[in-house]
Amino acid sequence: MRNRRKYNWLFVFAVLMLSQGCKQEVDPMLDSVEATSDLIDVDQADRAIGLATSILAFERTAYIEKTIGSLKRWVEKSEANATNSKAVVEDDWKLHPGLSELLMTFGEVPAVRNMSELDYVATDAYYLRQCHWLQKLGQRIDEKQIIPAFELLRLASKKVEQTDASKTASSQEQDELTTLVGMLHPQLDPADHTKLAKAFRLFDWVTRNIHLEEAVYPTPEEIADQSLVEGETTGEPWTLGVIGAGYKRSLYQILLFARGDYIERAKLFIALLAYQDIPAIMLQVDGAPWCVGVKIADEVYLFDTHLGLPIPGKDDGAIATLSMVRADPSLLDRLDLEISESTADNSDYWVKQNQLEKLVGLVYINPECVSKRMRYLEQRLVGDSKLKLTLGLDESLAAFSRIDGLETKIWDIDFKNKEFRQVVEEAINRSRTNDFVRDQLSWYYENEGYIDDFVASRTARAKFVEGFFESERNSRRLNGIEQFYAMMFKDSQIDNLASDIDLQYQIGIVDKSNLAGYNQVIKGVQQSMRMVRRDSGIFLVESLFDNGNIGTAANWLTRISEQENTDRWKGSIDYLQGRTHEARREYDLAMNVYKRDASPQKHGNLLRRRFLAQLTEEIRQESDDQVEDLSSEESKVIESNVEAPAESQGAESNTKEAANEDSAEPKTDESTSDQPKTEQPESTTTSDSESKPEEKPANPESDDGNDQFAPNF
């Protein structure tokens, strides 16, 4: 008898009801965008890009049909009007020799099979949106400076003497993070400080915003049990629709669902770096992916997406390079947990120096970015429609070719993703009439299906990715923060959905001609609203943090951590609680949170706790020394009072003023302020008013309890 995972059938019911029955035939928002394009006679390619780059999400099937249809018509017209267009593409694009084997292995997948053709396929529609998201996300992460998020670097930089190199860096027009990175890596020049700061900023964003899941390595028995292909129980897991490490989600899906294992985190990090023209590679040790190597100058800097930390260098705050860890075994040995930190059977770091003599560097690509059809489109996009759609594979391989002991290979992880998702899509269609297949797809219905068919949720994620956090004056459109708040549906809204015509329309329930089907859809949507609600709280917090509202994010974290049905986000909730405490210089509170963590990132969080303890202990010691110095000065003043009482008044006054200045605290209410606290590492307690948020802060922009946001989309 099969040992299947238990799950709530209401998840399945909700998604099936959203995707059939009374669902509207046409997406009205999609029709509106199309009508505008017709009115101004937009080029078919621009029409497709306009749909892909819209901040609005659309009904999936209609979006794919209209986007791909526009691209196909555009190619036909282009070839008809310009007889030399095809020749130009032939001269400019050639199939890379390293792709031949992948083409043979994954040739049944349309995105791979059409690699050498000007024939667009269904998955291209979301590839275009993926490229747009990567471009916009990289830009806004680089532009939005959230310095309190990098408190560990600031603490480490306090120990660094200002060298000539760091003084030069500081004298340039650089942001604060770049200056900190320059102080901690004086061997780099200012231009490379900027690159490394960009890499650090992107890595930190991925760590904070992509919930880490355990990497899955299915056994032969599990593959046989979970296969989605009828009659087949053996073979590579991705060919059978069985989940495995690194290939479950595309980059678009990682951003949409905000979840991934450490390999999927690494894929996203590498892709974001590529959009900033910073070469990166996945380093593989003994056949298993290890960490991301980022090429800066002639060195490869190491970032571990499983730890959620860069590999630390010899000096506090510095990032280790590949050459450093090869030369000094202690750098990786220091990542072992001590018995006081963990009593787990194996608390050692999973890679050691003796494994690094021969490494494999995996160059990350996906089938679309090396295809002829995307190159053809990319070359012809101009102005606001311009998108980076392709990758120079030769350049990526060459960037790491001179690293000793490193063999570079093309990484096939996203080719596996394409085949895996093709099998899953076919199974989803069968699951509508097959109970057994529905059972096999429980993971999809619990974690993805309700989002795929809930347009408002996907629109909110688009606003988050693009950084739409501030509404225009007099605009009725909600920004991302407001929309996530609106989707934290109250029980009364869910229960009264059948009588709330406005909310039905906003969610997409339009066709009411079939009363029995309509009632079923209402029940399914109500369950989906509950599922969307459990996600919206953490997405709201991440939006507030990304917008610099760290104090408000901290208040909301306290609230959502006490809610039911948030277990699937517990690791992210705990981690973000630690990061908000850390950003506000509540160091002891942050360390307590990291200590209790039980997520897949536990090892890294315990290391982060260790680093924070070490850095703040030195500050405590400095503070104690200052107190001793002050006590010594006060003793001298008392002794001098016997001989010179007249002069002592001025000396005593000056000493008190100095002591008051050292202990001065900001006058703002620290429970809601988004500014970090004045450093008080020796203090481990705060008053109730400082440590607790309002019991029920309704407005995510303030804690005054005024419920300003209505649930509209």
Side-chain angles (χ1 to χ4, degrees):
M1 183 175 182
R2 289 177 178 266
N3 180 22
R4 297 194 190 94
R5 187 160 53 101
K6 295 181 180 179
Y7 64 96
N8 189 341
W9 274 94
L10 286 175
F11 287 97
V12 182
F13 175 77
V15 175
L16 291 177
M17 290 302 99
L18 274 173
S19 57
Q20 60 186 12
C22 298
K23 184 179 174 181
Q24 62 215 64
E25 294 280 332
V26 179
D27 186 330
M29 294 304 299
L30 189 57
D31 271 0
S32 175
V33 174
E34 284 273 283
T36 302
S37 298
D38 288 338
L39 185 65
I40 60 178
D41 193 25
V42 170
D43 176 89
Q44 291 290 337
D46 288 338
R47 182 192 299 259
I49 296 300
L51 293 174
T53 60
S54 173
I55 204 165
L56 300 173
F58 307 112
E59 193 278 322
R60 294 172 68 218
T61 302
Y63 165 70
I64 291 171
E65 289 175 353
K66 289 183 181 294
T67 302
I68 301 306
S70 293
L71 289 174
K72 287 178 177 290
R73 290 190 294 272
W74 169 71
V75 170
E76 292 173 1
K77 185 175 181 180
S78 297
E79 291 185 319
N81 293 343
T83 57
N84 66 331
S85 292
K86 190 170 183 179
V88 170
V89 177
E90 292 286 359
D91 291 340
D92 184 69
W93 185 92
K94 292 180 180 179
L95 181 69
H96 192 280
L99 297 172
S100 299
E101 185 176 346
L102 291 174
L103 190 57
M104 292 178 60
T105 304
F106 298 94
E108 295 301 313
V109 178
V112 181
R113 183 174 62 242
N114 286 16
M115 196 180 296
S116 302
E117 306 295 330
L118 292 180
D119 187 13
Y120 295 91
V121 300
T123 54
D124 290 342
Y126 279 103
Y127 176 74
L128 295 178
R129 177 152 284 212
Q130 171 181 297
C131 291
H132 172 66
W133 276 13
L134 291 171
Q135 191 165 296
K136 294 288 288 187
L137 179 60
Q139 290 171 355
R140 69 103 160 162
I141 293 173
D142 195 45
E143 292 169 0
K144 183 74 174 180
Q145 307 298 327
I146 312 174
I147 294 304
F150 306 104
E151 180 64 8
L152 271 182
L153 284 190
R154 190 194 68 82
L155 290 170
S157 70
K158 292 170 68 70
K159 300 173 57 181
V160 178
E161 292 286 338
Q162 282 274 313
T163 63
D164 291 340
S166 61
K167 288 178 181 177
T168 300
S170 300
S171 67
Q172 306 288 327
E173 292 186 3
Q174 295 180 332
D175 62 81
E176 188 173 345
L177 178 60
T178 302
T179 300
L180 292 176
V181 168
M183 294 174 64
L184 297 168
H185 303 84
Q187 74 278 15
L188 295 173
D189 62 33
D192 291 329
H193 293 159
T194 300
K195 289 181 181 179
L196 190 54
K198 284 178 182 285
F200 195 95
R201 194 177 286 118
L202 293 170
F203 177 79
D204 185 73
W205 188 92
V206 170
T207 302
R208 283 189 289 106
N209 291 280
I210 304 302
H211 176 86
L212 184 62
E213 296 181 341
E214 290 283 6
V216 176
Y217 300 94
T219 65
E221 293 76 18
E222 289 170 331
I223 292 172
D225 185 59
Q226 299 168 18
S227 173
L228 295 176
V229 179
E230 292 180 290
E232 295 188 26
T233 57
T234 59
E236 297 292 359
W238 60 87
T239 67
L240 302 176
V242 177
I243 296 171
Y247 61 74
K248 182 180 179 181
R249 305 172 185 89
S250 66
L251 297 181
Y252 168 74
Q253 291 168 325
I254 294 169
L255 289 170
L256 178 64
F257 303 131
R259 304 176 75 85
D261 60 32
Y262 82 100
I263 299 174
E264 291 171 318
R265 273 185 170 184
K267 293 193 309 185
L268 179 57
F269 178 42
I270 292 170
L272 287 168
L273 288 166
Y275 274 80
Q276 300 294 317
D277 297 318
I278 301 174
I281 203 166
M282 188 71 178
L283 297 174
Q284 182 176 271
V285 175
D286 295 337
W290 168 35
C291 71
V292 176
V294 180
K295 184 78 176 300
I296 307 287
D298 294 325
E299 292 285 359
V300 178
Y301 288 81
L302 306 178
F303 294 79
D304 191 323
T305 53
H306 193 176
L307 287 179
L309 291 168
I311 303 295
K314 184 176 180 180
D315 299 322
D316 289 334
I319 301 172
T321 66
L322 181 57
S323 61
M324 289 178 186
V325 297
R326 278 175 161 170
D328 186 353
S330 69
L331 292 179
L332 294 182
D333 290 342
R334 291 192 303 175
L335 301 181
D336 296 345
L337 295 178
E338 300 171 359
I339 190 65
S340 61
E341 295 172 314
S342 173
T343 57
D345 291 339
N346 187 2
S347 297
D348 290 348
Y349 185 60
W350 36 86
V351 174
K352 294 299 178 184
Q353 183 252 14
N354 59 11
Q355 298 173 269
L356 305 181
E357 185 176 346
K358 291 185 178 180
L359 288 173
V360 174
L362 301 173
V363 176
Y364 175 64
I365 63 170
N366 44 57
E368 296 90 347
C369 78
V370 290
S371 70
K372 179 178 180 177
R373 63 188 185 278
M374 288 302 165
R375 182 64 176 165
Y376 185 83
L377 178 59
E378 182 184 60
Q379 288 178 323
R380 285 153 181 79
L381 296 177
V382 296
D384 293 339
S385 295
K386 196 166 184 64
L387 270 180
K388 183 175 181 176
L389 302 176
T390 63
L391 173 75
L393 186 51
D394 281 327
E395 291 83 349
S396 298
L397 290 167
F400 294 87
S401 62
R402 296 184 179 180
I403 305 298
D404 292 337
L406 181 65
E407 177 190 1
T408 55
K409 292 182 178 179
I410 297 172
W411 198 7
D412 63 359
I413 194 71
D414 264 22
F415 289 75
K416 294 176 181 177
N417 166 260
K418 286 291 185 294
E419 186 165 9
F420 169 75
R421 283 291 167 174
Q422 178 175 289
V423 175
V424 170
E425 285 296 324
E426 292 169 354
I428 290 171
N429 292 331
R430 298 200 313 276
S431 74
R432 305 186 193 287
T433 57
N434 188 314
D435 291 346
F436 174 78
V437 179
R438 275 203 297 270
D439 189 14
Q440 296 292 82
L441 281 170
S442 61
W443 63 267
Y444 169 77
Y445 288 111
E446 290 178 16
N447 299 300
E448 298 182 4
Y450 67 96
I451 297 175
D452 280 341
D453 289 306
F454 207 95
V455 174
S457 181
R458 287 189 283 119
T459 294
R461 287 299 294 176
K463 292 176 180 179
F464 168 72
V465 169
E466 296 189 32
F468 178 44
F469 300 137
E470 306 291 340
S471 298
E472 298 175 2
R473 185 181 296 274
N474 300 323
S475 173
R476 296 186 62 189
R477 176 182 293 182
L478 297 182
N479 62 45
I481 292 172
E482 294 166 335
Q483 188 152 353
F484 284 129
Y485 175 75
M487 291 192 303
M488 295 177 68
F489 300 109
K490 299 176 182 177
D491 287 337
S492 59
Q493 292 175 280
I494 298 173
D495 294 341
N496 297 325
L497 178 63
S499 59
D500 192 334
I501 306 302
D502 291 338
L503 187 55
Q504 289 179 31
Y505 183 80
Q506 291 154 7
I507 291 175
I509 304 174
V510 178
D511 182 7
K512 305 176 186 177
S513 57
N514 180 343
L515 182 60
Y518 167 72
N519 290 333
Q520 281 188 317
V521 168
I522 289 292
K523 291 179 181 178
V525 171
Q526 286 173 322
Q527 181 60 20
S528 290
M529 291 169 72
R530 293 185 178 92
M531 292 187 281
V532 167
R533 176 173 63 182
R534 68 178 183 173
D535 300 339
S536 296
I538 191 67
F539 293 163
L540 170 63
V541 167
E542 291 171 348
S543 300
L544 289 166
F545 197 113
D546 270 19
N547 199 41
N549 308 121
I550 294 176
T552 312
N555 288 347
W556 274 102
L557 279 166
T558 300
R559 179 179 175 182
I560 66 174
S561 66
E562 298 170 350
Q563 294 178 341
E564 297 180 356
N565 301 321
T566 57
D567 288 348
R568 72 192 303 260
W569 297 108
K570 180 168 175 51
S572 289
I573 292 170
D574 288 345
Y575 179 67
L576 287 171
Q577 281 185 320
R579 292 298 301 273
T580 55
H581 286 312
E582 187 180 310
R584 300 168 73 198
R585 301 180 188 173
E586 300 165 339
Y587 304 128
D588 290 324
L589 294 176
M591 287 187 282
N592 287 337
V593 173
Y594 296 143
K595 183 178 181 178
R596 71 170 186 248
D597 179 58
S599 72
Q601 196 173 290
K602 179 180 179 66
H603 194 116
N605 291 346
L606 289 174
L607 288 174
R608 189 180 192 96
R609 178 180 183 273
R610 181 199 298 175
F611 302 150
L612 186 58
Q614 290 170 346
L615 291 169
T616 54
E617 179 61 32
E618 293 170 12
I619 295 174
R620 287 187 177 91
Q621 187 61 50
E622 291 175 4
S623 299
D624 291 342
D625 291 343
Q626 291 173 1
V627 170
E628 289 179 6
D629 291 342
L630 286 174
S631 299
S632 176
E633 290 296 324
E634 289 174 347
S635 297
K636 292 178 181 178
V637 169
I638 293 172
E639 291 175 0
S640 64
N641 283 341
V642 177
E643 299 178 359
E647 296 179 4
S648 69
Q649 293 180 359
E652 182 178 350
S653 176
N654 290 338
T655 302
K656 288 182 177 180
E657 288 177 7
N660 288 334
E661 289 174 0
D662 287 340
S663 62
E665 295 185 5
K667 301 297 183 182
T668 57
D669 178 4
E670 292 177 354
S671 68
T672 59
S673 172
D674 290 314
Q675 297 300 318
K677 293 185 177 183
T678 302
E679 277 184 44
Q680 299 283 341
E682 67 276 12
S683 174
T684 60
T685 60
T686 55
S687 69
D688 289 343
S689 63
E690 291 175 335
S691 63
K692 296 181 181 179
E694 295 281 350
E695 182 176 347
K696 190 176 181 180
N699 182 345
E701 291 289 2
S702 67
D703 297 320
D704 57 12
N706 296 324
D707 192 348
Q708 298 180 6
F709 298 124
N712 91 64
F713 307 106

